[in-house]
């Protein structure tokens, strides 16, 4: 009997409780809020650890549970959850990250922790755990919406003072993303048997012949889902909101990136992979998009160093999408884990403790992201290269280029970040940065010991290639080249090249703005035209057509009694004559 | 158990009965109406002008609404709609902005037109089947009877009844191209009145579509569902885009409500049981959210003394509770999961897909526009550049917070546990859906022959009848701007005489059995009414001042006399609860028994038009704000005018019960 799996529902419940406490009791009792949210988060983490351990050791089947939430006729709306190994891993990740974030929040004195922030974090984690555990596409959609909503609440919180542009770009991207998601759901709903959008149903249906779906429909649905992931992640040129967020808000950046730009889009891609993989064209598009995003972001980092921290996030998401296109799902999960842990360590190093331990942890995190051997990041990069080389050798060069750009970007971004940090001596909780660093090292070792087992455990498949010498060396070379370029050439890019790139960049921006202005002008013209037509019709119906009647009424009001009697008589005779001439006759 | 709550009392006029019942839809509507109207009443605590009259009218509106939701007779429903329209005339006119008098007048005319068409629809429906006519009245919510009617009814008459109903519904549910009266009501009314309007008039339109449209015209509703859903989808998009051009809170509210009505109609006509259920969930949620917005908007209005959106920038800085409530209300409106609007909005998009994917696209774009605008609105309220006087805005008081919290609780509970409401609705909606599926199996054929139902060549159309109708119309044309009270009463007397002539002549032509006693009593009643009306005018005005402008502001000067005069004028209009109304119904009963629908239609048109003349005098007494006119107060009034006037009033009331 699986004890921990039975109580997995407690995790979202605990986070929901934090949200309610944050908006009610916590408003006037901040200490109560801090203590209660920490304890409840710790409890959630323990449950997550427990069930992951249970699933890792007992080799249990997927576990699901549901209740009938609403019944209308023959239609059952169910709320439930589905626990599999992937969900267990993600639960551990998000609950663990949450505890570290809470600790960071507590120690960051310039962001004075107020109860509503904790409350919104509770809502965010509630929604995130819902996304991880959802067994139905609509539940997934609702929880995803709640994630974006809670991120919006955090972003627009007065204490962070975010720029309006950041908020509006975030909202625009989310709206576009959810519109595409909704479109995919609507089409799936109407064409799938019994209108059932449960993930098990999707898997069963699309693993078979998927009757009723033409290839074009599959392309559209897959494209819509991928588009939604991309929009939600913020991979919109010139529209990425992270650029507008100040570096002095590290916790906000970490939260928004981890949950909004990374976890949510990756969850969409992985949960709906059975649908998306039906369209090889869309998968190819993912490969291309991922590569282009990484390349473009790298160029942007080189030319606009001030936005480096925003673009590095996009680079990491881009590389995960590139991997998704090649079906290397375990890479995505591993990379997501490394990114989250590394960001905690990197941003946590700004808690103003100058110590070797903090610097060391920072270094471990950065080197993991770069992919320097023998850390865990390197093993994942080389596995990616090896897998792609085996599947489709024509993409190997692109993959090496992507890995090189990733290394280049990370190096520039985080070294410039480190240079900007100031470290007045102050005691802080070192474990906040130490713990993620140790985990990163530990995961690397785990990979070395048994790298096949993770993919088998998470996805019940074996696609990733084991360590091969050729890919290992090529990967090492790419990373080295990337780091070298970053160190040697990033400050030496000629002014002419830099200004040329900026000129192209400005030109593109201006074209985009001109297009937007044209669309706005067109919209205004259409609206004005519509208004004019409407006014003309109203004028015709209310003034010109009834004019004779109004004239008669005015005359009657001004006339004396005899005149009005005469007018009535005349009108009556006219109407009677019209009546009989039109054909009103009672000769029967 | 709910079906046991049924009252049926026959009247002297068989086509109308005092029939009331309760089912799940009525129950929920009544319950939620009570809750939201309570919240709205509390929100109206800031109204200082004529606040006693305001609360009287609001309570009457609530009473009529609860009455409407429990009515089970079609013509009685129309009578209640008339009362409601009159109450709104006063609410819009008295507490509105500078042009509210004109808006209130137009609103009432619009409603009169709608009620005319709905009444005609009920009358035509009544006579469309011999079998059905034996039951004598249009029973609401009776599926077995509707099934019988569908099978036995005269096809052309049913089609005409359906078109009449459709035209009538347009006056209740704003449709693109005819949405200007709807928008102007919001712009000119007081904010609280606009909210009550949203809760009342639009909801009634949906309710009538459900009670009469889906039950008696299921096949025809199915036939028009696709084009109507197309229009609604486009309308939703237009309303969502139109939000961006609004600079005033009331205009913003108008477009929000317009968009919501579109969603409700899409769900109503989706042709599925889920659509019907979601429609009622969405309706209940809509009422809650609009009421919550009312509380919050009036709170802000009271603090800022402005309804311009620009001037509300930064108004919520330093008001955490107000901010939180506003966020919750707008999130509810946007359809955030966990709140009551999510399911309905999601299903409106989902269920529009089989009609056309482009409607779904329009719906999604509309939602995006609403969300983007509301986020921008919220941001400006919270973090916009505040004016100097916005810096010390007080947070919610207890009297404001309490209804807001109650409404928000309902919104959250309905969002998380909709089964509370759905469970009760399930059986009724399931039955209706099964009936719908059966009814839409054969779609109606429509050709122009349905117009022959208006038989203008029948024996009833003798010369005196033609002259009466034509003269009535001519009287209205010449006298609808009549300012002299004596002449107005004279023409009213002539009009009522013409009515009696038309009735007697047509009855004779049709060889119908006419109740002479009733006719004589009606004549006496008209005479008493006119005499009483004249007497009461003489108690406030000298003979040389019997002009309409002398009545300006009479409510303030002589409230009791103004009220009595209003009663007489309403009696002149044959308003519901008056003897004239019963007599009109008996005439309709007589004519409909002989299939004289053309006569009914033309006579109702002339009667409706004539009723607008006394209405002007009521508007002048209660609504007109022009204080520049010099009104001469009558210092001494001969007692006999009081005696005649009040005696006539007593006789009026007595005869009303008798007739």
């Amino acid at each position: 009997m699986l004890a921990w799996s039975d109580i997995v529902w407690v995790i979202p419940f605990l986070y929901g409780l934090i949200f309610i406490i944050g908006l009610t009791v916590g408003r006037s009792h901040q200490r109560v809020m801090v203590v209660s949210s920490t304890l409840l988060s710790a409890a959630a983490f323990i449950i997550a650890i427990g069930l992951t351990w249970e699933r890792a050791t007992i080799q249990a089947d997927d576990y699901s549970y549901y209740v009938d939430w609403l019944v209308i006729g023959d239609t059952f709306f169910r709320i439930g959850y589905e626990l599999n190994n992937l969900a267990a891993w993600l639960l551990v990740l998000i609950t663990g990250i949450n505890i570290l974030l809470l600790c960071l929040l507590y120690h960051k004195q310039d962001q004075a922790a107020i109860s509503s922030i904790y409350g919104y974090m509770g809502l965010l984690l509630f929604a995130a755990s819902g996304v991880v555990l959802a067994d139905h596409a609509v539940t997934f959609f609702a929880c995803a919406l709640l994630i974006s909503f809670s991120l919006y609440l955090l972003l627009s919180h007065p204490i962070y003072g975010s720029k309006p542009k950041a908020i509006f770009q975030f909202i625009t991207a989310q709206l576009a993303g959810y519109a595409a998601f909704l479109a995919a759901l609507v089409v799936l709903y109407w064409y799938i048997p019994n209108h059932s959008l449960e993930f098990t149903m999707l898997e069963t249906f699309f693993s078979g012949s998927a009757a009723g779906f033409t290839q074009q429909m599959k392309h559209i649905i897959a494209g819509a889902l991928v588009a939604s992931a991309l929009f939600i992640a913020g991979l919109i040129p010139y529209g990425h909101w992270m650029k507008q967020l100040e570096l002095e808000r590290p916790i906000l950046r970490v939260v928004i990136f981890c949950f909004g730009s990374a976890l949510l889009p990756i969850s969409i891609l992985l949960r709906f992979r059975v649908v998306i993989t039906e369209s090889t064209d869309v998968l190819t598009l993912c490969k291309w998009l991922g590569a282009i995003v990484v390349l473009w972001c790298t160029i942007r980092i080189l030319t606009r160093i001030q936005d480096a921290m925003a673009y590095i996030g996009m680079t990491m998401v881009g590389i995960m999408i590139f991997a998704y296109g090649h079906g290397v799902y375990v890479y995505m999960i591993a990379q997501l884990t490394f990114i989250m842990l590394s960001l905690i360590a990197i941003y946590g190093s700004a808690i103003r403790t100058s110590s070797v331990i903090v610097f060391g942890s920072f270094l471990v995190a950065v080197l993991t992201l770069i992919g320097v051997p023998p850390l865990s990041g390197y093993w994942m990069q080389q596995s990616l290269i090896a897998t792609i080389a085996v599947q489709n050798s024509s993409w190997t060069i692109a993959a090496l280029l992507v890995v090189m750009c990733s290394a280049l970007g990370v190096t520039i971004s985080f070294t410039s970040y480190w240079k900007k940090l100031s470290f007045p001596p102050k005691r802080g909780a070192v474990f906040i940065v130490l713990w993620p660093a140790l985990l990163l090292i530990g995961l690397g070792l785990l990979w070395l010991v048994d790298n096949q087992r993770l993919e088998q455990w998470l996805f019940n498949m074996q696609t990733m290639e084991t360590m091969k010498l050729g890919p290992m060396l090529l990967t090492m070379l790419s990373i080295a080249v990337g780091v070298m370029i970053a160190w040697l050439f990033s400050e030496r890019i000629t002014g002419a090249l830099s200004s040329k790139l900026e000129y192209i960049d400005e030109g593109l921006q201006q074209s985009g703005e001109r297009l937007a202005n044209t669309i706005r002008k067109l919209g205004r013209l259409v609206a004005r035209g519509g208004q004019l037509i409407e006014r003309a019709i109203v004028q015709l119906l209310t003034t010109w057509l009834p004019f004779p009647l109004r004239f008669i009424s005015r005359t009657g009001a001004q006339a004396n009694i005899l005149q009005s009697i005469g007018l009535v008589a005349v009108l009556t005779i006219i109407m009677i004559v019209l009546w009989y001439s039109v054909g009103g006759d009672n000769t029967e | 158990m709910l079906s046991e709550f049924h009252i049926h009392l026959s009247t002297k006029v068989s086509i109308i009965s005092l029939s009331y019942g309760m089912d799940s839809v009525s129950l929920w509507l009544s319950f939620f109406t009570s809750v939201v109207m309570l919240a709205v009443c509390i929100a109206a605590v800031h109204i200082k002008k004529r606040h006693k009259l305001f609360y009287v009218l609001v309570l009457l509106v609530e009473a009529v609404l609860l009455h409407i939701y429990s009515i089970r007779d079609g013509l009685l429903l129309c009578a209640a709609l008339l009362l409601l329209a009159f109450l709104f005339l006063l609410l819009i006119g008295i507490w509105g902005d500078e042009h509210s008098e004109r808006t209130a007048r137009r609103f009432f005319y619009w409603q009169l037109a709608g009620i005319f068409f709905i009444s005609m629809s009920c009358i035509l429906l009544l006579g469309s089947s011999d079998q059905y006519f034996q039951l004598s009245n249009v029973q609401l919510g009776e599926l077995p009877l509707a099934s019988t009617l569908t099978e036995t009814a005269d096809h052309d008459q049913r089609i005409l009844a359906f078109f009449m109903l459709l035209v009538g519904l347009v006056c209740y549910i704003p449709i693109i191209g005819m949405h200007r009266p709807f928008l102007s009501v919001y712009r000119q009314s007081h904010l609280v009145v606009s909210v009550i309007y949203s809760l009342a008039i639009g909801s009634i339109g949906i309710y009538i579509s459900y009670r009469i449209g889906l039950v008696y015209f299921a096949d025809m509703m199915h036939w028009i569902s696709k084009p109507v859903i197309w229009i609604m989808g486009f309308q939703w998009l237009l309303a969502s885009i139109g939000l961006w051009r609004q600079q005033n809170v009331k205009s913003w509210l108008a477009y929000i409500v317009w968009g919501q009505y579109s969603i409700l109609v899409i769900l109503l006509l989706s042709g599925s049981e889920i659509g019907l259920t979601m429609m009622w969930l969405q309706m209940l949620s809509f009422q809650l959210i609009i009421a919550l917005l009312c509380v919050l908007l009036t709170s802000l209005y009271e603090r800022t003394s402005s309804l311009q959106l620009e001037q509300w920038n930064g108004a919520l800085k330093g008001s955490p509770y107000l901010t939180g409530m506003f966020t919750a209300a707008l999130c509810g409106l946007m359809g955030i999961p966990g709140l009551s609007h999510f399911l309905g909005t999601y299903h409106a998009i989902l269920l529009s897909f089989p009609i056309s994917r482009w409607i779904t696209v329009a719906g999604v774009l509309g939602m995006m526009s609403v969300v983007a605008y509301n986020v921008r609105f919220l941001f400006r309220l919270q973090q916009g550049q505040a004016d100097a006087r916005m810096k010390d805005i007080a947070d919610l008081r207890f009297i404001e917070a309490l209804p807001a919290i109650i409404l928000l609780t309902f919104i959250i509970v309905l969002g998380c546990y909709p089964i509370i409401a759905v469970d009760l609705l399930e059986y009724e909606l399931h039955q209706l859906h099964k009936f719908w599926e059966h009814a839409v199996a054969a779609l109606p054929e429509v050709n122009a022959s349905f117009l022959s139902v208006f038989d203008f060549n029948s024996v009833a159309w003798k010369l005196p009848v033609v002259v009466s109708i034509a003269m009535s119309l001519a009287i209205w044309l010449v006298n609808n701007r009549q300012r002299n009270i004596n002449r107005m009463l004279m023409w009213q007397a002539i009009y009522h005489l013409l009515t009696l002539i038309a009735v007697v002549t047509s009855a004779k032509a049709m060889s119908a059995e006419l109740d002479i006693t009733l006719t004589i009593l009606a004549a006496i009643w008209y005479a008493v009414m006119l005499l009483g009306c004249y007497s009461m005018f003489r108690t406030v005005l000298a003979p040389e001042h019997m002009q309409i402008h002398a009545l300006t502001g009479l409510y303030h000067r002589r409230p009791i006399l103004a009220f009595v005069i209003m009663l007489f004028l309403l009696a002149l209009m044959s308003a519901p609860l008056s003897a004239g109304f019963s007599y009109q119904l008996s005439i309709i009963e007589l004519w409909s028994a002989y299939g004289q629908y053309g006569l009914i239609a033309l006579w109702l048109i002339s009667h409706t038009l004539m009723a607008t003349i006394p209405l002007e005098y009521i508007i002048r007494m209660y609504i007109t704000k022009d204080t520049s006119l010099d009104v001469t107060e009558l210092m001494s009034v001969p007692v006999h005018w009081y005696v005649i006037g009040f005696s006539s009033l007593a006789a009026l009331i007595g005869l009303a019960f008798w007739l």
Side-chain angles (χ1 to χ4, degrees), chain A residues 381-451:
Chain A
Q381 304 286 35
Q382 66 83 31
S383 296
L384 176 69
I385 302 291
T387 312
I388 291 172
V390 165
Q391 281 179 2
N392 193 340
S393 56
S394 57
W395 278 94
T396 312
I397 306 292
L400 287 167
L401 191 63
V402 162
V403 167
M404 184 199 80
C405 290
S406 164
L408 193 162
V410 171
T411 310
I412 293 175
S413 307
F414 290 112
T415 47
S416 65
Y417 174 75
W418 182 260
K419 282 178 197 168
K420 284 181 194 155
L421 286 179
S422 60
F423 297 95
K426 187 163 174 62
R427 281 214 187 122
V430 174
F431 77 90
I432 299 172
V433 293
L434 182 62
W435 190 237
L438 290 173
L439 279 173
L440 287 169
I441 296 169
L443 285 169
L445 292 171
L446 198 70
W447 179 261
L448 277 175
V449 166
D450 193 352
N451 52 52

Side-chain angles (χ1 to χ4, degrees), chain B residues 323-545:
Chain B
T323 307
M325 284 293 178
F326 245 109
T327 308
L330 289 177
C331 290
L333 200 62
M334 291 190 280
I336 295 291
L339 299 175
S340 51
H341 241 40
F342 172 65
L343 275 177
T345 311
Y346 167 71
H347 277 90
I349 293 172
L350 194 66
L351 296 174
S352 62
F353 186 77
I355 312 293
S356 168
R357 73 192 71 170
W358 295 112
I359 303 173
T360 311
V361 169
V364 171
L365 289 174
M367 276 314 300
M368 285 169 67
S369 175
V370 168
V371 170
Y373 182 84
N374 285 335
V375 165
R376 178 172 163 263
F377 179 39
L378 200 56
F379 180 82
R380 282 185 168 184
L381 284 176
Q382 288 176 299
Q383 297 180 41
Q385 197 68 32
D387 207 347
R389 64 200 170 100
M390 301 292 175
K391 289 195 177 146
D392 295 317
I393 300 262
D395 212 343
L396 281 179
R397 300 182 198 101
F398 176 74
I399 189 72
E400 293 162 337
L402 181 63
I405 290 168
I406 293 170
L407 290 168
L408 187 61
T409 308
F410 273 110
I411 290 169
I412 293 170
V413 168
L414 207 59
C416 294
Y417 299 105
I419 196 145
I420 293 171
V422 167
D423 212 19
L424 206 57
L425 293 167
E426 196 191 343
Y427 177 73
E428 183 186 328
L429 297 179
H430 182 66
Q431 295 300 312
L432 180 61
H433 181 64
K434 269 175 45 181
F435 168 76
W436 167 282
E437 280 182 325
H438 173 73
V440 303
L443 290 176
E445 282 174 32
V446 178
N447 49 45
S449 65
F450 65 83
L451 291 171
S452 63
V453 172
F454 290 132
D455 186 7
F456 292 115
N457 291 327
S458 70
V459 293
W461 287 99
K462 295 283 184 202
L463 184 62
V465 174
V466 176
V467 169
S468 301
I469 302 283
M471 203 169 197
S472 303
L473 290 170
I475 289 170
W476 174 77
L477 257 175
V478 173
N479 291 288
N480 71 75
R481 290 185 185 211
Q482 184 56 254
R483 297 293 173 253
N484 187 291
I485 294 173
N486 292 327
R487 268 190 241 166
M488 185 272 289
L489 289 174
M490 181 196 84
W491 286 115
Q492 287 288 325
I494 293 171
Y495 164 70
H496 289 302
L497 184 63
L498 289 169
T499 303
L500 291 171
I501 292 170
V503 170
V504 170
T505 314
S506 60
K508 199 176 167 191
M510 294 182 303
S511 308
E513 209 179 292
L514 183 66
D515 189 345
I516 298 295
T517 316
L518 188 67
T519 309
I520 293 168
L521 274 171
I524 295 169
W525 185 81
Y526 283 131
V528 164
M529 179 183 56
L530 286 160
L531 179 67
C533 195
Y534 180 75
S535 308
M536 291 315 299
F537 276 125
R538 286 303 308 275
T539 61
V540 293
L541 299 171
E544 61 275 14
H545 292 127

Side-chain angles (χ1 to χ4, degrees), chain B residues 12 92 146 149 213 241 263 272 394 409 431 484 504 582 626 629 633:
Chain B
K12 286 191 176 165
I92 294 168
L149 185 66
I241 294 170
I263 296 175
S272 65
T409 308
Q431 295 300 312
N484 187 291
V504 170
S582 305
D626 187 356
L629 293 167
E633 276 286 333

Side-chain angles (χ1 to χ4, degrees), chain A residues 27 68-75 77 79 138 141-143 145-146 149 152-153 155-158 161-164 167-168 171-172 175-176 178-180 182-183 185-187 189-191 197 524 527-528 531 534-535 538 542 548-550 552-561 563-565 567-569 571-572 575-576 579-580 583-588, chain B residues 106 177 179-180 245 273-274 277-278 281 320-321 324 327 331 334-338 342-343 346-347 349-354 357 360 364 367-369 371-372 374-376 378-379 382-383 414-419 422-423 426 430 455-463 466-467 469-483 487 490-491 602:
Chain A
R27 278 191 171 278
D68 287 333
W69 178 61
L70 186 63
V71 179
I72 299 172
D74 298 329
T75 309
F77 293 84
I79 286 187
V138 177
F141 176 72
C143 291
L145 266 175
L146 279 177
F149 175 62
Y152 160 73
L153 290 175
L155 200 55
S156 62
H157 200 286
S162 302
K163 289 182 200 164
I167 299 171
F168 297 140
I171 291 293
T172 310
L175 283 176
Y178 287 111
L182 196 56
L185 280 186
V186 168
V187 176
Y189 176 86
W190 284 106
Y191 287 96
L197 289 177
R524 260 183 246 129
R528 214 168 288 157
Q531 265 185 339
E534 196 201 356
R535 254 182 228 152
V538 165
T542 60
L549 302 175
R550 288 149 71 115
I552 295 170
S553 303
R554 223 174 290 132
T555 311
Q558 288 161 4
N560 60 34
I561 183 81
Q563 285 169 342
S564 53
I565 289 171
L567 202 51
V568 167
L571 286 169
T572 308
M575 280 191 238
I576 293 169
W579 172 267
Y580 282 108
D585 189 7
N586 57 345
T587 51
E588 251 180 84
Chain B
R106 284 185 183 170
H179 60 282
R180 282 178 72 91
R245 298 180 59 84
E273 192 177 338
I274 293 180
T277 312
M278 291 302 159
L281 257 182
Y321 285 101
T327 308
C331 290
M334 291 190 280
I336 295 291
F342 172 65
L343 275 177
Y346 167 71
H347 277 90
I349 293 172
L350 194 66
L351 296 174
S352 62
F353 186 77
R357 73 192 71 170
T360 311
V364 171
M367 276 314 300
M368 285 169 67
S369 175
V371 170
N374 285 335
V375 165
R376 178 172 163 263
L378 200 56
F379 180 82
Q382 288 176 299
Q383 297 180 41
L414 207 59
C416 294
Y417 299 105
I419 196 145
V422 167
D423 212 19
E426 196 191 343
H430 182 66
D455 186 7
F456 292 115
N457 291 327
S458 70
V459 293
W461 287 99
K462 295 283 184 202
L463 184 62
V466 176
V467 169
I469 302 283
M471 203 169 197
S472 303
L473 290 170
I475 289 170
W476 174 77
L477 257 175
V478 173
N479 291 288
N480 71 75
R481 290 185 185 211
Q482 184 56 254
R483 297 293 173 253
R487 268 190 241 166
M490 181 196 84
W491 286 115
L602 279 180

Side-chain angles (χ1 to χ4, degrees), chain B residues 77-89:
Chain B
L77 176 70
C78 296
L81 292 177
L82 269 172
L83 275 175
L84 192 67
F86 180 71
L87 292 170
F88 269 101
L89 168 79

